[in-house]
């Protein structure tokens, strides 16, 4: 596990709060939590490979795009990323952020993996990505998913 995460109470959506030592680890932890929402038994490995390139004007937007990409890969392409290596660049000269991820995973098997059901998208409701202000502060993210 790259970091830690927990579910947050919400009346209509599913909330997620995650934390990790670094920003790439935070994004990997959020991917892990997203898979746990989708699947009872996410795979631990696989031979399939994918490369993901994303950009956004800010970290919050990049996190939403990242979760939506994970949802797209699982629900539309039937690819379940079991491991991911995330690299982030930013902010750039004009303020934007870029993500490059290399994913290893396997084909979705709804029965064997215990597919729990569709998740529509990540939302911007109460969305945050921030570093704690304490020395050696960890990165934290909060987001809600529309189910």
């Amino acid at each position: 596990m790259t970091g830690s995460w927990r579910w947050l109470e919400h009346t209509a959506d599913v909330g997620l709060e995650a934390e990790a030592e670094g920003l790439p680890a935070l994004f990997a932890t959020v991917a892990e939590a997203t898979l746990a929402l989708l699947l009872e038994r996410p795979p631990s490995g696989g031979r399939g490979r994918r490369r993901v390139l994303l950009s956004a004007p800010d970290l919050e937007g990049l996190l939403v795009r990242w979760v939506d990409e994970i949802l797209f890969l699982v629900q539309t392409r039937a690819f379940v990323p079991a491991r991911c290596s995330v690299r982030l660049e930013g902010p750039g000269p004009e303020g934007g952020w870029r993500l490059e991820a290399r994913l290893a995973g396997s084909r979705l098997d709804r029965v064997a993996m215990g597919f729990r059901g569709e998740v529509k998208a990540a939302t911007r409701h109460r969305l945050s990505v921030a570093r704690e202000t304490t020395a050696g502060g960890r990165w934290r993210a909060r987001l809600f998913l529309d189910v």
Side-chain angles (χ1 to χ4, degrees), residues 68-82:
D68 286 347
E69 184 69 17
I70 299 295
L71 295 172
F72 173 78
L73 288 171
V74 174
Q75 297 175 164
T76 304
R77 298 293 182 227
F79 175 78
V80 181

Side-chain angles (χ1 to χ4, degrees), residues 85-105:
S85 171
V86 178
R87 191 170 65 93
L88 293 155
E89 293 178 8
E94 296 176 21
W97 285 82
R98 291 178 30 92
L99 174 145
E100 178 181 357
R102 297 191 184 276
L103 309 174

Side-chain angles (χ1 to χ4, degrees), residues 35-109:
L35 290 177
L37 179 62
L38 290 169
L39 305 168
E40 290 177 21
R41 296 171 295 282
S44 58
R47 290 191 230 170
R49 302 280 185 260
R50 295 282 193 285
R51 181 175 175 227
V52 173
L53 299 171
L54 301 171
S55 63
D58 54 36
L59 280 173
E60 292 81 6
L62 191 61
L63 186 65
V64 167
R65 292 209 56 213
W66 172 239
V67 171
D68 286 347
E69 184 69 17
I70 299 295
L71 295 172
F72 173 78
L73 288 171
V74 174
Q75 297 175 164
T76 304
R77 298 293 182 227
F79 175 78
V80 181
R83 291 184 314 275
C84 62
S85 171
V86 178
R87 191 170 65 93
L88 293 155
E89 293 178 8
E94 296 176 21
W97 285 82
R98 291 178 30 92
L99 174 145
E100 178 181 357
R102 297 191 184 276
L103 309 174
S106 58
R107 182 142 187 85
L108 174 64
D109 182 330

Side-chain angles (χ1 to χ4, degrees), residues 103-139:
L103 309 174
S106 58
R107 182 142 187 85
L108 174 64
D109 182 330
R110 290 176 178 257
V111 173
M113 294 178 187
F115 185 70
R116 297 180 199 263
E118 299 287 323
V119 174
K120 295 175 191 170
T123 73
R124 295 191 72 91
H125 173 70
R126 296 177 53 196
L127 174 65
S128 67
V129 178
R131 189 171 194 176
E132 293 177 345
T133 57
T134 59
R138 294 171 64 84
W139 282 90

